[in-house]
């Protein structure tokens, strides 16, 4: 085996056992709140970009036992989202830099108008940015690049692969019980535009960020929409703290975390 | 020149729902020695094609904090492992594992055809046996089987059965089946009435009444290494040791490593 594989294997093993103590209390609290209730139906929609296996395997972590997740990539990913038996929460990590087809956009609008949940992870903060302004401005409350930053007229700025400290902000139910934590190597988007109507949940300590927001609640008036910028590498996707944040976001988006 | 020792595998799904235990399966230590990367539809198969040597870099990569403008900066520790979108020369995928179900667009078909003719490996699972209903070359000359979604071209629609317990037996002595004994899948969707080419080489069979007899086979293309496996829909199947070993062996054979 080449050396990098062995190191990566060891890194993966270490990541699985580090930093679990702080997250366990929050996990138990959230699990207790959802006990004896129907499990949330969660649709995970990736697509259009490479993603680590650990992103998918996150949903098989015992932490996620209180949600029932199925994976449904494109095409026609949102066909069932508009109906009464659609998922409670859609989690996206797709990378569609133009925009979804019209049918997908219409179905997602119905999902949101029904007051259901949407959790937007990593790649998906850039999806629909280029051609569906309503999505960026009124739903997810962000864009991958901020045109008011010099040089950021047409493309995003990617920074790979920093480590950063993630600090919760405010007292939103999603951040309740979560302490500041060090996040493993990840790809970041340091020059994003974050809507002033978004409610920031988490910030990065990386000094190169134009806006330190890493996680935020989007401005949509009916649906529960929440975004989390990290999630590119296998190291992050198997990090217990990362998984705790995503789990809390799903529960809140599904109406299972009260204010 | 870097020697590629690992088997590089692209896993592509799309168009049909499935449980996340599908990808979890590939984290089993039995897949150690493989670099397995999901890229779901809309997906490109370009990384399966042979690539010319990369040109020498024009200068040092743009690095450092505080730089502005678009593009990618790298601030990575020396032990950071390779990432597909990291910008390093791609070693190319050896095997494409499919669990999608759709009619691929023309550009995707062109890339797939080039990959087939270049002798790449293909492992088709469950949903993907219904791919490309309107592309006879794919199922007649490559995979040797089709789950028919609607009556067409003289073929009758195939039937999808409810979850069943399948007793599965290996057939023949293909390298994929080495050390494989009869096994049972406890919660698996069945397909019946699939179109099969008479040229396929059966690998696995069952006597379940709601299923076709042959449920895994070697495809028919003379240069590509193609394995088709009908089961693969449930959490129980994805977590079956025997099923995982079958997938592992199929990938290794498709990559020319068995």
């Amino acid at each position: 085996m080449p050396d990098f594989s062995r190191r990566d294997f060891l890194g993966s093993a270490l990541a699985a056992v580090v930093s679990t103590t702080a997250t366990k209390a929050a996990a138990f609290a959230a699990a207790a709140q959802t006990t004896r209730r129907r499990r949330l139906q969660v649709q995970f929609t990736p697509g259009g970009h490479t993603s680590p296996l650990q992103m998918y395997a996150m949903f098989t972590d015992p932490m996620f036992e209180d949600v029932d997740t199925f994976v449904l990539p494109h095409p026609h990913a949102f066909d069932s989202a508009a109906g009464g038996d659609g998922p409670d929460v859609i989690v996206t990590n797709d990378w569609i830099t133009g925009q979804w087809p019209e049918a997908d956009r219409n179905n997602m609008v119905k999902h949101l108008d029904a007051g259901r949940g949407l959790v937007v992870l990593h790649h998906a903060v850039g999806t629909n940015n280029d051609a569906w302004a309503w999505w960026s401005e009124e739903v997810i409350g962000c864009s991958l690049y901020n045109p008011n930053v010099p040089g950021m007229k047409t493309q995003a700025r990617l920074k790979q692969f920093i480590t950063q400290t993630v600090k919760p902000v405010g007292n939103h139910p999603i951040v309740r019980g979560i302490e500041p934590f060090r996040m493993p190597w990840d790809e970041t988007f340091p020059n994003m535009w974050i809507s002033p109507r978004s409610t920031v949940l988490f910030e990065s300590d990386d000094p190169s960020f134009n806006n330190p927001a890493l996680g935020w609640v989007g401005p949509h008036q009916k649906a529960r929409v929440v975004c989390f910028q990290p999630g590119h590498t296998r190291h992050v996707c198997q990090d217990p703290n990362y998984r705790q944040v995503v789990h809390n976001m799903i529960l809140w988006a599904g109406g299972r975390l009260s204010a | 020149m870097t020697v590629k020792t690992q088997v590089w595998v692209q896993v592509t799904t799309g168009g049909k729902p499935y449980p996340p235990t599908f990808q979890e399966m590939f984290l089993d230590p039995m897949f150690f020695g493989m670099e397995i990367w999901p890229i779901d539809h809309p997906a490109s198969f370009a990384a399966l094609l042979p690539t010319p040597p990369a040109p020498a870099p024009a200068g040092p990569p743009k690095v450092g904090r505080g730089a502005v403008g678009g593009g990618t900066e790298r601030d990575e520790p020396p032990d950071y492992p390779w990432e597909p979108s990291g910008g390093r020369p791609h070693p190319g995928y050896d095997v494409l594992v499919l669990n999608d179900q759709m009619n691929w667009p023309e550009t995707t078909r062109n890339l797939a055809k080039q990959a087939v003719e270049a002798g790449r490996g293909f492992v088709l699972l469950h949903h993907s046996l219904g791919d490309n209903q309107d592309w006879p070359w794919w199922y007649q000359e490559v995979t040797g089987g089709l789950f028919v979604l609607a009556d067409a071209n003289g073929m009758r629609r195939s039937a999808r059965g409810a979850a069943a317990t399948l007793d599965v037996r290996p057939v023949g002595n293909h390298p994929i089946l080495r050390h494989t004994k009869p096994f049972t899948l406890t919660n698996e969707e069945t397909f019946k009435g699939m179109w099969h080419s008479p040229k396929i080489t059966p690998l696995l069979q069952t006597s379940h009444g709601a299923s076709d007899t042959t449920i895994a086979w070697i495809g028919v293309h003379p240069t590509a290494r193609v394995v088709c496996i009908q089961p693969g829909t449930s959490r129980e199947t994805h977590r079956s040791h025997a099923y995982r070993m079958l997938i592992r062996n199929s990938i290794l054979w498709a990559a020319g490593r068995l």
Side-chain angles (χ1 to χ4, degrees):
Chain A
M1 291 294 173
D3 283 348
F4 74 78
S5 292
R6 192 174 299 114
R7 278 198 299 266
D8 190 39
F9 179 76
L10 292 172
S12 299
L14 282 171
V17 298
V18 170
S19 303
T20 56
T21 306
T23 60
K24 277 183 178 173
F28 289 142
Q33 195 170 1
T34 56
T35 303
R36 300 189 194 91
R37 302 173 76 173
R38 179 183 69 86
R39 291 202 298 170
L40 284 175
Q41 297 298 301
V42 176
Q43 171 178 327
F44 174 52
T45 295
H49 200 293
T50 315
S51 187
L53 295 165
Q54 288 82 354
M55 170 65 86
Y56 304 78
M58 172 169 66
F59 297 99
T60 68
D61 187 311
M63 185 188 296
F64 287 74
E65 277 183 355
D66 50 359
V67 300
D68 185 11
T69 306
F70 62 95
V71 185
L72 182 50
H74 298 278
H76 313 300
F78 307 128
D79 280 6
S80 66
D85 57 351
D88 301 302
V89 179
I90 295 175
V91 180
T92 56
N93 186 36
D94 60 342
W95 174 250
I96 311 292
T97 52
Q99 63 180 330
W100 294 330
E102 185 176 2
D104 282 337
R105 281 180 278 142
N106 291 340
N107 287 328
M108 179 57 82
V109 168
K110 291 174 183 170
H111 175 81
L112 298 172
D113 284 345
R116 294 188 181 138
L118 174 67
V119 178
V120 177
L121 300 179
H122 190 57
H123 292 131
V125 300
T127 288
N128 292 321
N129 276 179
D130 295 339
W132 196 17
W134 179 80
W135 177 259
S136 301
E137 294 168 8
E138 305 297 330
V139 180
I140 62 174
C142 70
S143 179
L144 206 52
Y145 57 90
N146 184 343
N148 296 321
V149 173
M152 299 300 298
K153 298 298 183 189
T154 58
Q155 61 171 322
R157 173 178 166 219
L158 274 60
K159 191 171 182 183
Q160 302 165 328
F161 290 99
I162 65 165
T163 60
Q164 57 191 323
T165 296
V166 178
K167 185 182 73 174
V169 177
N171 61 353
H172 192 279
I174 290 173
V175 307
R176 201 175 295 152
I178 293 181
E179 301 292 328
F181 63 92
R182 194 72 181 163
M183 184 164 310
W185 306 304
D186 201 20
E187 176 181 85
T188 60
F189 310 130
N191 283 0
M192 290 187 69
W193 172 80
I194 309 295
S195 168
R197 292 183 292 131
S198 295
T199 302
V200 176
L201 303 175
F202 297 98
E203 290 183 344
S204 170
D205 70 337
D206 188 277
S208 69
F209 274 53
N210 171 55
N211 184 323
L214 276 182
W216 57 92
V217 172
H220 196 276
Q221 295 297 307
K222 294 181 181 174
R224 289 171 175 246
V225 179
V226 60
C227 306
F228 199 37
Q229 193 220 80
H232 183 85
T233 69
R234 64 183 81 179
H235 317 289
V236 165
C237 292
Q238 67 190 2
D239 180 76
N241 292 300
Y242 178 79
R243 291 184 170 187
Q244 183 61 57
V245 170
V246 174
H247 181 248
N248 280 6
M249 288 179 163
I250 290 171
L251 292 184
W252 178 79
R256 297 290 172 91
L257 286 185
S258 60
Chain B
M1 178 181 168
T2 303
V3 177
K4 190 168 83 172
T5 58
Q6 294 190 300
V7 175
W8 286 76
V9 182
Q10 174 175 332
V11 179
T12 296
T13 70
K16 296 290 281 187
Y18 60 87
T21 46
F22 175 69
Q23 279 89 1
E24 178 199 56
M25 168 172 68
F26 297 110
L27 294 172
D28 188 312
M30 76 167 67
F31 292 91
F32 195 68
M34 301 182 193
E35 280 284 349
I36 301 176
W37 288 96
I39 175 167
D40 301 304
H41 286 300
S44 171
F45 298 154
L48 285 158
L49 304 180
T51 52
K62 191 165 76 172
V63 296
R65 295 168 183 265
V68 295
T72 301
E73 303 150 50
R74 181 153 296 114
D75 184 14
E76 67 183 53
D79 61 343
Y80 190 81
W82 187 89
E83 287 282 333
S85 64
R88 297 183 193 178
H90 197 293
Y93 289 108
D94 304 296
V95 178
L96 176 63
V97 174
L98 290 165
N99 191 28
D100 60 340
Q101 191 171 105
M102 59 184 287
N103 290 322
W104 296 339
E106 196 61 34
T107 51
T108 304
R109 291 182 183 189
N110 288 337
L111 291 168
K113 192 165 188 177
Q114 291 177 61
V116 166
E117 289 165 353
R120 290 293 185 268
F122 295 80
V123 178
L124 285 86
L125 304 177
H126 195 64
H127 291 311
S128 66
L129 298 175
D131 273 340
N132 299 315
Q133 301 276 316
D134 60 350
W135 192 24
W137 180 83
W138 178 251
Y139 57 83
Q140 291 178 359
E141 306 297 332
V142 180
T143 70
L146 181 71
F147 183 80
V148 184
L149 296 176
D151 295 355
N153 302 324
M155 298 182 293
R156 299 296 304 273
R157 179 181 176 178
S158 308
R160 189 188 306 269
T165 296
L166 286 182
D167 292 321
V168 179
R169 58 182 181 273
V171 178
N173 59 355
H174 193 278
I176 289 174
L177 300 173
R178 205 172 291 160
H179 309 304
T180 299
K181 295 181 169 55
F183 60 96
T184 299
L185 298 174
T186 58
N187 180 25
E188 185 53 43
E189 190 175 69
T190 58
F191 289 169
K192 192 174 179 67
M194 284 188 62
W195 176 84
H196 284 121
S197 165
K199 294 185 286 183
I200 62 172
T201 303
L203 293 177
L204 296 177
Q205 292 185 334
T206 182
S207 299
H208 195 285
S211 172
D212 287 334
T213 299
T214 295
I215 59 170
W217 62 91
I218 299 295
V220 297
H221 198 272
T223 58
R225 289 175 171 240
V226 183
V227 188
C228 299
I229 298 170
Q230 183 262 307
T233 190
S234 73
R235 292 171 171 83
E236 291 82 355
T237 296
H238 298 152
R239 287 176 170 167
S240 156
H241 179 82
Y243 182 78
R244 289 181 173 188
M245 188 58 76
L246 174 70
I247 304 301
R248 169 194 178 274
N249 287 354
S250 297
I251 292 172
L252 289 177
W253 180 79
R257 301 293 180 94
L258 278 185

